[in-house]
């Protein structure tokens, strides 16, 4: 049924394109990867988010690269989905891409990135990263003490 979903991806209706991508994910057909990658370029953010969910299921290097690229999407919902997807894929190499999102202007994106980084076992390399990581997770008290010896503060 990949041929049918390929036709549906050309629809002018975003909902039809989104459903086609959902069905592609379910097919596990090798041709689905190419169509899901193309879905990341769709004009509709929900379609791009659906493509991300499908790419998570494929779990290969192309998926990881595509999700890392989606972290730059102008839509914050797409950036959030890409960050969460990279965390679920479990590739620690994605940490360098996710760490940059700790400074995103949208709190939800920062939180998704921090949760993904935590899942990947990432450790901040600077006090600034530590503070941004803690704030994104909602640990404001820990962020206040980032880079300080707690014994000297208490």
């Amino acid at each position: 049924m990949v041929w049918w979903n390929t036709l549906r991806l050309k629809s002018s209706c975003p909902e039809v394109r989104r459903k086609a991508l959902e069905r592609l994910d379910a097919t596990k057909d090798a041709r689905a990867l190419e169509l899901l990658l193309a879905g990341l370029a769709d004009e509709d953010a929900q379609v791009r988010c659906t493509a991300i969910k499908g790419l998570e299921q494929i779990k290969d290097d192309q998926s990881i690269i595509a999700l890392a690229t989606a972290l730059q999407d102008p839509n914050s919902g797409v950036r959030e989905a890409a960050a969460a997807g990279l965390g679920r894929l479990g590739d620690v190499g994605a940490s360098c891409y996710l760490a940059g999102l700790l400074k995103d202007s949208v709190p939800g994106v920062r939180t998704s990135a921090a949760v993904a980084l935590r899942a990947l076992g990432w450790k901040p390399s600077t006090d600034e990263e530590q503070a941004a990581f803690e704030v994104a997770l909602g640990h404001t008290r820990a962020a206040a003490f980032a880079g300080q010896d707690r014994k000297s503060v208490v």
Side-chain angles (χ1 to χ4, degrees):
M1 292 299 274
V2 172
W3 65 270
W4 176 244
N5 288 318
T6 302
L7 289 175
R8 295 177 71 210
L9 287 171
K10 296 177 182 177
S11 170
S12 61
C13 177
E15 184 64 18
V16 171
R17 296 192 308 272
R18 190 183 63 73
K19 288 191 181 286
L21 286 175
E22 286 174 352
R23 287 189 174 79
L24 277 174
D25 169 38
T27 67
K28 305 296 184 214
D29 187 294
R31 295 172 290 178
L33 174 63
E34 181 180 322
L35 297 170
L36 288 165
L37 290 170
L40 287 177
D42 195 276
E43 64 189 35
D44 185 80
Q46 289 299 317
V47 173
R48 295 193 305 273
C49 286
T50 301
I52 287 169
K53 289 178 185 170
L55 289 167
E56 284 179 44
Q57 303 306 311
I58 295 177
K59 299 179 182 175
D60 73 352
D61 289 343
Q62 282 185 295
S63 295
I64 293 166
I65 292 167
L67 293 185
T69 301
L71 296 175
Q72 304 301 316
D73 195 277
N75 182 279
S76 62
V78 174
R79 293 194 307 276
E80 262 184 74
L86 284 169
R88 284 189 288 271
L89 283 173
D91 185 320
V92 294
S95 298
C96 60
Y97 303 110
L98 290 164
L101 286 185
L102 293 174
K103 296 179 181 179
D104 195 276
S105 62
V106 179
V109 174
R110 293 192 302 265
T111 300
S112 286
V115 168
L117 286 165
R118 183 174 56 194
L120 296 173
W122 178 79
K123 301 291 181 209
S125 59
T126 66
D127 293 342
E128 184 180 350
E129 281 182 346
Q130 180 69 41
F133 181 65
E134 297 294 349
V135 167
L137 290 173
H139 304 154
T140 52
R141 183 168 168 77
F145 294 114
Q148 297 180 16
D149 179 10
R150 288 186 184 226
K151 290 180 184 175
S152 67
V153 175
V154 179

